[in-house]
Amino acid sequence: MIIQNGTIEVKRKTVGEIDPETGYPGRPTSVAWSDPIPCQYSANKHNWLGRVNGEHFTTAQYTVLIEEQPFAAEQIRLKDLAGDIVGEFSIMEIEPLEAVCELRILV
């Protein structure tokens, strides 16, 4: 059982046409977000000290817990309970936690 403090949405991409010369798919033609999935998230790392060419940026890494379900994704959008976007992240790892019937997602 998770203690919900946010939601995640899975990024769904529609594949573009296949390039006949290279055989690789083109850029996605459209992007959509799935229905919200209740989650519990916590920050592993979060700071505003990143710098590139004098520009500042935020570095963040989160652990997200969701109820066990079929789940396959490359990118997610994390929102808090107020509906504000925490960020859009690539998934680094999905780990099933069988003892508690949950999935741990590292982003």
Side-chain angles (χ1 to χ4, degrees):
M1 182 175 130
I2 63 168
I3 300 171
Q4 182 181 356
N5 63 352
T7 61
I8 61 170
E9 298 169 351
V10 175
K11 190 174 201 176
R12 304 279 186 217
K13 301 175 193 174
T14 304
V15 179
E17 294 183 12
I18 303 294
D19 185 340
E21 292 178 18
T22 63
Y24 292 111
R27 292 186 168 260
T29 55
S30 67
V31 174
W33 295 98
S34 71
D35 293 331
I37 300 170
C39 74
Q40 177 181 347
Y41 71 93
S42 61
N44 293 343
K45 293 183 203 174
H46 192 277
N47 67 50
W48 291 278
L49 301 177
R51 284 185 83 158
V52 172
N53 299 329
E55 296 290 323
H56 293 277
F57 64 91
T58 303
T59 59
Q61 182 182 38
Y62 292 91
T63 298
V64 179
L65 297 173
I66 62 172
E67 296 293 335
E68 191 171 34
Q69 58 190 283
F71 187 82
E74 293 178 3
Q75 294 178 306
I76 61 168
R77 177 166 60 185
L78 179 61
K79 291 184 175 182
D80 61 15
L81 283 180
D84 297 327
I85 297 173
V86 176
E88 293 180 16
F89 303 98
S90 294
I91 294 176
M92 294 188 299
E93 181 182 3
I94 300 173
E95 178 184 3
L97 304 174
E98 295 175 3
V100 290
C101 297
E102 295 177 358
L103 295 176
R104 178 178 14 209
I105 304 167
L106 295 177
V107 296

